[in-house]
Structure formats: C-alpha cells, structure tokens
Amino acid sequence: MGLHMLVYAFLIFYPLFLIWRWIDGKRDQECYILDYECYKPTDDRKLDTEFSGEIIKRSKNLGLNEYKFLLKAIVSSGIGEQTYGPRMIFAGREENPTYEDGILEMEEFFQESIQKLLSRTGISPQEIDALVVNVSMLSAVPSLSARIINHYKMREDIKVFNLTGMGCSASLISVNIAQNLFKTYKNSYTLVITSESLSPNWYAGNNRSMILANCLFRSGGCAILLTNKRALKHKAMFKLKCLVRTHHGARDDSYDCCLQKEDEQGRVGFHLGKNLPKAATRAFVDNLRVISPKILPVRELLRFLIVSFIKKWSSQIRSSSSSKGGEDRAVINFKTGVDHFCIHTGGKAVIDGIGVNLDLTEYDLEPARMTLHRFGNTSACSLWYVLAYMEAKKRLKKGDRILMISFGAGFKCNSCLWEVVRDLDGSNVWKDCINDYPPKTLTNPFMEKYGWINNEDESTFAVPS
C-alpha cells in the first residue's frame, strides 16, 4: 500500500515539478535594462552654423551645384546647432584622417560613459559577464571590445562580441545578443556599447549621394547595462517584452541603397541611394507584420482585419462599377498596445514617414524630432538619446510600453517593445537643456546665413574667402 502511494505521489507531483522548473527557468531568462548612459562630447566639439559653413568652404572638390545641394539638405535635415563632430574636423584634417583619430574618438566615449554607468549602478568591471560592442565603420586590431577589456581589466572568461558593418540598427542587434545569452546564463550582467566612428569616414568628394552623409551623421554613443538577475528586477528601468529583426539583404535594391563604396575618383564614402525610402518602407512593413501580433491586443487585431476586409470588398465593388476614387486603406492603431514611440533619428523624412504610417501625433514624434535637432543622427545609439528625452521629460511611468524602431544598412529594420519597470524621472544627458525643448522653431539658420548661394551664377561663382 505504501509503495502504491509513493508511485501515485510521484506520478502526480513529478509533472508539477517539471512545470515549476520550466516556469522558474523562464523567469531567469528575462532581459532588464538596469541603467544606461548616453555620451555628451565636450562643448569644443559643437558644430554650429558658421563652423559648418567653414568646413564646406574648405573642400576643394565642391562647386556651386554641390553648395546648393548641401544648403538644401542641411536646411531641411531637422538638425540644429548643438550637435557634435569628431576632433579632426576642428583641426582641419577631415580629408586626411589618421587611424588614431578613430581610436581617440572611441576611447573618449568609452572611458567617460562606461565609467559613469558602472559607478552609478555600483557594478564593478569584474562583475560583467558579457560585453557586446557595435561600431560599424571602424575595425581595429586589437578590437574595440579588447581595448575596453584591457582598460577596465575585466575577467578572463568574459563573453565578447564585436560587431562591425551592422549600421544604424546595430544597438537592437546587440540587445538581441544579450537576450539570447540570458537564456543560457543565469544571474548575468551584459554591457552593451553602441556608437559610430566618424573620424575615418569623412567623404571628401563631390558625389551627392555620398556627401549627404557628412550632413546627417554626428558624434555620440551609449553604454547600456542589462541583466537577468531576478533579485534586481525591481531596481531595473525597463523589461524587454519582445524583439523582432527583419533583414532584406537578399533583395539587390535594398542591399544597394545604403552602401560604403568608392566614387569615380576612388574616394571612399557612404552612399545613400534614391531608393532608400522605398527599401525602408518595405522592411518596416514586413517588420510590423511580425511584431504587431506580439504587442497589440486581440481586439485591435480583429478590428483591423474586419475593417481591412470591408474596405477591400468596397474597393472591389467600386472597381467593378468603374467608379474613380483613391484607395482607402485600413490603419492599425498601435496606441492600443504602445504608450511611447522611440524612433531612430535617421532624418526628418524618416521620422515623418513613420509618423504617417503609424498615424502618430506630434506629441508622439517630439522625442525623435528634438533628438535629431539636438544631437543629430548618431547612428545606432540614436534610439537611446530619444529614450533619454522621454525620461528627462518625465513621460515614462511604471507599466508604460515603449516601441523602439530602427533602420540600418543591409537593409534592416529592427524593433522591440520595452515595459517601464518603475517611474523614471532621473537626470541624464538632457538635464542641462531639457527645459529649452521643444524650442519655438526648428528652423535651421543656414538659409539665413547662406541663402545667397541660390542666387549665384555658376559661370561667375567663386568660393568666398
């Protein structure tokens, strides 16, 4: 009788034990942001209107048509006068950068931001279990990750990932690596470092598709400390709910629209093709198809399906009766599952396009617009400046959900959803200027200072001294 009871108890409780172990294991696989630190370069690296004009005038390869193109691009870019550039520009060496220029630019960021982040969280460098570094356009030997490990004397068994060439969407790829590590390693810390090295990548030619990058990209960086430690979940800032990556590299037009290459004179630059908006939209739509069911309530998905069917049916009836009229498409309401939108600051057109596609208000787009104006397009780390703006404005409350959307060369669209774990009202990179935003106008003073270029004649034009 006793043996039978033991067998029955085993049959009943062992499955429950397995279920409990599975649930308990899942809890250890959560991904939290403990803290993050956006980098603010020193004031002597600010690119105001007058100095930007001086940089353009220094180039011997630009003519009147290129001047007009750059004027139009800068005025419509949405970028203000407080952004930062690499030191070699201020030294007048942008056409002849050295290897050390790129290393110096990165080490300034590494040493300040990582130190501040670790000091604020009370975590020592020896406690870091994994390091993920993404800097797309600087490949150093030893690697940039090795330089960080050497500077901070991290452990010998640290897991290291050094990403290059991943473009503006690389920081979410780095987060995805951390997320996957947490599925295997319990009670871990992962340090993600995201930035871009502009020093060795200035384009000195006159190809319009390549000089555009000089106008848009600015210096920046962010260090992010992630963990899956259950004991720290109440101290964390954000919890990762889901992450989706879309890659259209198999499509030739998508692959070619955002490319580092040489121009006709052999000068290396970053080509931004005319088909970039189309490629971005296509990747964005495909990404949304995957992430929408993961983040939106069922009622909104059902409403969208029903409305889409009705509109399609109505359109077919109109077509059969030969009546004219524009296509009336259904729009999914992302605000039913998302409270804040953290959008990559790829440019004014990128922000406007996402706003139209997701039917967002100016309030929703404000963080991305202000980040573009204050810091410019800082490549993969731009998302974190947008997030910091929301935090500095005290918009982020416990339970809020934030959708991050990024684009990058390849062509890629990556997105993820974060949940705010606790009310956030701390100071960050915006603390010295947040009360000045949003400003009364985002109009760039370039037109006021250099608008006369539009009235010049090519046959008589001379670069002013």
Side-chain angles (χ1 to χ4, degrees), residues 29 45 61 87 102 107 141 165 176 216 265 286 313 339 388:
Q29 294 177 13
R45 291 173 59 184
N61 298 308
R87 292 194 181 279
E107 288 189 340
V141 180
N176 190 211
L216 294 176
Q265 286 76 42
D286 285 354
W313 180 63
D339 300 293

Side-chain angles (χ1 to χ4, degrees), residues 89-103:
I89 290 178
F90 297 90
R93 295 187 292 100
E94 64 269 12
E95 294 192 20
N96 299 288
T98 65
Y99 171 75
E100 287 300 323
D101 287 326
I103 297 298

Side-chain angles (χ1 to χ4, degrees), residues 98-107 138 144 197-200:
T98 65
Y99 171 75
E100 287 300 323
D101 287 326
I103 297 298
L104 174 64
E105 183 185 9
M106 290 297 95
E107 288 189 340
L138 177 63
L144 295 175
S197 178
L198 303 185
S199 294

Side-chain angles (χ1 to χ4, degrees), residues 251-315:
R251 298 173 179 262
D252 289 342
D253 55 340
S254 295
Y255 175 83
D256 292 334
C257 73
C258 199
L259 196 69
Q260 187 179 26
K261 65 177 188 178
E262 293 180 339
D263 65 9
E264 294 78 6
Q265 286 76 42
R267 299 184 182 93
V268 177
F270 200 67
H271 161 76
L272 300 174
K274 292 181 179 179
N275 61 329
L276 177 57
K278 182 179 179 181
T281 300
R282 189 164 53 207
F284 183 43
V285 170
D286 285 354
N287 187 276
L288 290 181
R289 286 197 185 103
V290 179
I291 200 170
S292 296
K294 300 175 183 289
I295 66 176
L296 298 180
V298 174
R299 66 179 185 276
E300 173 57 23
L301 298 173
L302 288 174
R303 183 202 67 80
F304 176 72
L305 289 173
I306 293 170
V307 173
S308 296
F309 174 78
I310 293 172
K311 288 183 180 293
K312 185 176 181 181
W313 180 63
S314 300
S315 177

Side-chain angles (χ1 to χ4, degrees), residues 401-441:
R401 290 153 66 95
I402 306 160
L403 179 63
M404 277 188 171
I405 304 167
S406 65
F407 301 91
F411 191 84
K412 301 183 287 294
C413 177
N414 299 330
S415 64
C416 70
L417 188 75
W418 297 99
E419 180 181 315
V420 182
V421 176
R422 54 182 172 84
D423 290 350
L424 302 176
D425 57 1
S427 61
N428 55 40
V429 71
W430 286 91
K431 65 181 179 181
D432 295 333
C433 62
I434 192 63
N435 293 329
D436 299 328
Y437 283 86
K440 294 180 180 178
T441 178

